[in-house]
Every structure is written in C-alpha cells, then in structure tokens.
Amino acid sequence: IIPDLLAFKFHLQSLHTLAFRSDEAFGAMLRSILEDVLNGASSKEFDGDGGRRIAELLAKHVDARFKDAKAQITASQLPAATGASGSAAAAAAVIDSNEAFQNEVMSLFRHVHSKDVFEAFFKRDLAKRLLTGRSVSSDVERSFLSKLKAECGTGYTSKMEGMFKDMELSRDIMSSYSAYSSGATNASIDSIKPMDVDVQVLTTGYWPVYPKYPNIILTPEILAQKSKFENYYNNKYQGRRITWQYSLGNCVVKAMFPRQSTHKELIVNLCQSLVLLCFRYDDGQDGMGLTIDEVMKKTGIDDRDETERVLQSLSLGRDGTRVLTKVDFDSPINSLSPGKSESPSARAMEKQKTRKNVGPHDRFFFNASFTSNQRRIRITNITMKETAEERTKTHEAVSKDRLYLIDAAVVRIMKARKTIDHRGLMGEVMTQLKFPASSTDVKKRVESLIEREYMERVEGDRSRYNYLA
C-alpha cells in the first residue's frame, strides 16, 4: 500500500504543478485531502485509528528497503564506466537513489499524525537490523535519522542515535578485549576448544525489551568465553552490571553431513544452536529421536512456544535449511523399534505429509540426507518474523506512552495557569499534543489526575480546575 500511496502523492504533485500551475489554494486542498486519506478520516477501514496503520506500514516499508541489498543500487547495476570518473558517477547514482527514497518517505511521513507509532516500529526494526547485521549501510541509516531529527526534534531520535553509539562503543570494547584475550593465560579456558566471540554491550534504555531465558543451559565452550569476558569487563568498568540477552545471540555452527564432502556453516541464533547440539552425537539415548519436552530439558529453554518455533525453523523451513527431520507421533515412520539408530529416510518422509505444528509426542531426528550447494546457510528463526502478538504489544506500548504524555501536558498547563476552565484546558492540551487524541481520552486523564490530587475542581463551578502544588 505504501508504494501506491507514494505514486498517488507524486500524481497529485504533478497535477498541482502542471495543471493548476502551483496554485496555493489548490495545494492546500490537496494536502488536506492527503492527510484525510493517510489518517483515516474518510475511510471506514481506518476510521478512528489516527493513521496508526499507515505509520506502521511506512516503518515496515523503510525497514524492507534498508535491509534488502537487492533494493540498493550498486555500481555493478549501473551502466559500465571506466576510470575514476566512472566510479564517481556510480557512487553519485547510489547516493542519489538513497536520497530520493528517503525524501519520498519523508514527504509522506510529514502528513502522518501517528508519528509515535512510526517511531515505535522503526526503532524496533532498526534494533533488529543492527543486532543481526542486516543493515545494508550505516551511512544510509544515519542519513535517514538526521531527516527524522530535523522533522521531529532531538527527543524523537535520541534513543535511535544511542543505538548507534552502543554499536560503536561495542566495537571499541571488542578491540580492547581482543588484545586482552591474546595476552591472557587461563588453564581452564585454554583447555576448551577456542572460538571467535563478538560481544555487543547495549545500554538498557535505548533498546527494546527482549525475552530472557534464565535457565538456559550453555555449552562449556560458551560458558568459558562468557566467564572470560565478564572478568575483563568487571575489571575495566567497575560498578556496572552485565545482564546477558541470550535471545539476541547468533552463532556459526560447523556441521558435517553424510552426503556432503565438506562441512557446512550454519548461521543460527543461540537457541537454534543449542537445539542442534542436542543431536551432536545421536538421536537420543534410544535412537528414537527427541520430543519437544526432551529438547526443552536438554537446552533449558523454558518457553515452549519459542522451542516450538526453533524446531519448526530447523525442520520445516525452506529447502536447503532442513537440518532436522520431524516425524509426527501418528506417522507410520514413528513406529521404529527401540534401539535402532537409523533416522527416517527422505523418501519415506515424502510419502508422509508432515504437519506444521509441533505436538508433544512428535519426534525430531538429525537429517542424515541433508544436502545443499551453499557452504554458509542462514536458517532464519520464525521469531525474527513479526507476529500479531508483537504488533499488538507495540501498539499497546504506544497507547500507554500517550497516556503519560497527556498527563504531562495537563500538569504542565495547570502549573503555568494555576486555574483554568474546562474548555480552555482542552484546547491547550490538544494544541500541545503531537499525536491524535480524542476529547474523551483527555477527560479520562483529567479525572485520573484529580483522583491523584494533582488538580481539583473549583467549588461551585464544576467546569473550572485549580492546580494543587
């Protein structure tokens, strides 16, 4: 819908410029109509949402562009050119393309009333791009942030700018940690097989809230590296406390498959890697595979829904990523006698259609028939895709923040005016708020502030309020 809206806006601009010769009255009418369309004033589908849905879709449109390398113009896509002048022309074309895209988005963004909804979704998507390394260009990201800052002010982008500062600080910390690791000697750590580690130190207030897995069972290799980094960080930054966010971890797991002559590198998140290691040597003690409950017990992941999504991503994903095999509990293949070490064959699995959901008695096996032409295989977890629950939580968080902003506006006005009538208060509050709010919302917050004794009604005049210091 966003590309269609951008095309519609371009059509209106052309109509205004060419047919009406940039007439100011017609231009004002066009802007008014565009705002009605974007913010749901003339649509039954979006009536009353104040542009929430459009703001969300606009943030998703930007996210898709900023993490899709194919959408970015590269020098190889441009007409062939040789020498320094050709390289300069290619670079200029890339910059112009990105700049044009950002200007188009900003031209639509200016008319959206629910800018706080855009901020919430864009911030969450930005965090995901930075932490997973999916951002195509940090320069493009920063350029767009500067445009948002110029449009909405410093407070609008402060947390997003803090994310970039955290990423830069993390690179400096890891550079120092690498020097520390090369000089450190620890018998307990040196006895563990070495691995490359990259730790990102994030400031709590800047980033979205992510799920924690306090009972997760890490491998000895990871525990050793974790302890080593904690010793370094605590010695260098005394008084700071580290809380590990295991749900954000990513790993590269080397795996050997019988039908492949060389090992494969599986790019997975931490939870996926721990599930894969459950099949490191066999398919369970009896060779009968593992159920979801057994996987949860072995990994310590106490979130059943998350474990189910991980198993689905490893066994039911797209072709070339199914490193595990899922067998339904009522499948004839699941009647293997105890003690057999063989796993279900690919031919047998093709005959039996596998259900997408994971039942308590379904079993999972190492996929011995796995093949892929790629050496590095990225297996995307389902949690990386936005769910309806995540969308609802984001909208609820925005609604909650709006309540605080209404409270702050009312108290600020009452503190300055000391006494004011109801109509005057409503008018000033609506003027100060930067998001669409109904008079009913403001009335509810006024009642709440009266109950909390921030203000009171004047005796004998119920339509007038006094500020309580």
Side-chain angles (χ1 to χ4, degrees), residues 333-345:
I333 310 171
N334 212 354
S335 60
L336 292 170
S337 60
K340 286 189 177 182
S341 58
E342 57 181 331
S343 60
S345 66

Side-chain angles (χ1 to χ4, degrees), residues 68-99:
D68 186 4
K70 294 180 181 179
Q72 304 284 338
I73 294 181
T74 60
S76 60
Q77 294 174 301
L78 298 171
T82 58
S85 60
S87 300
V94 172
I95 295 173
D96 290 344
S97 171
N98 291 325
E99 189 72 15

Side-chain angles (χ1 to χ4, degrees), residues 20-50:
F20 290 85
R21 298 181 181 180
S22 301
D23 181 74
E24 292 184 5
F26 186 75
M29 180 61 69
L30 286 181
R31 287 190 292 272
S32 176
I33 293 173
L34 185 61
E35 289 192 6
D36 288 344
V37 171
L38 294 179
N39 298 294
S42 58
S43 171
K44 293 183 180 180
E45 182 180 357
F46 300 123
D47 186 31
D49 79 341

Side-chain angles (χ1 to χ4, degrees), residues 408-429:
V410 172
V411 172
R412 188 164 52 246
I413 293 168
M414 292 302 302
K415 189 174 182 179
R417 300 289 294 273
K418 303 303 180 184
T419 180
I420 190 174
D421 64 352
H422 178 76
R423 180 175 294 182
L425 176 63
M426 296 293 290
E428 290 196 31
V429 170

